[in-house]
Amino acid sequence: MSYGLPCLASDIRPHREVIIDGENGFLFSTNHTQEFRNILSKLIFLPENARKEVGERARVMVREEYDWNSVADQVQKVYEEVATGNAKT
């Protein structure tokens, strides 16, 4: 995703937390190989500009949500919550 490419991934929870199906990537039902094939075929024949748009949305999302500064800020916030006794369960 950080390379601006549209991703095709199974719909397990970690992937669903990052990929919005059809928006910044594509999801298929886990263990459904025919669905995987169908979506992959659609991606192959999708116009190049449409694939680039999905890939660009993925790249922007990754840059905004998962860059080192953002991740470090989130980790620091968790540490501060634990240290002050205000941790969320």
Side-chain angles (χ1 to χ4, degrees):
M1 293 176 79
S2 67
Y3 284 94
L5 300 172
C7 292
L8 174 56
S10 63
D11 65 351
I12 62 172
R13 185 176 179 185
H15 297 162
R16 290 192 319 263
E17 291 176 0
V18 177
I19 296 174
I20 300 168
D21 192 35
E23 184 69 24
N24 65 356
F26 301 92
L27 297 170
F28 66 92
S29 300
T30 304
N31 297 322
H32 287 87
T33 55
Q34 189 57 48
E35 184 179 0
F36 170 80
R37 288 184 198 117
N38 292 343
I39 296 170
L40 185 57
S41 290
K42 289 178 185 176
L43 277 172
I44 290 169
F45 293 105
L46 196 65
E48 184 177 352
N49 62 331
R51 285 193 309 269
K52 284 184 178 183
E53 287 175 16
V54 172
E56 179 60 18
R57 286 192 292 267
R59 189 185 66 75
V60 168
M61 187 276 305
V62 167
R63 185 183 67 215
E64 291 175 356
E65 300 292 327
Y66 297 100
D67 72 293
W68 176 246
N69 291 329
S70 177
V71 171
D73 289 343
Q74 291 172 27
V75 170
Q76 180 180 353
K77 183 178 176 183
V78 170
Y79 285 159
E80 288 171 354
E81 289 173 353
V82 170
T84 60
N86 294 323
K88 298 175 186 169
T89 57

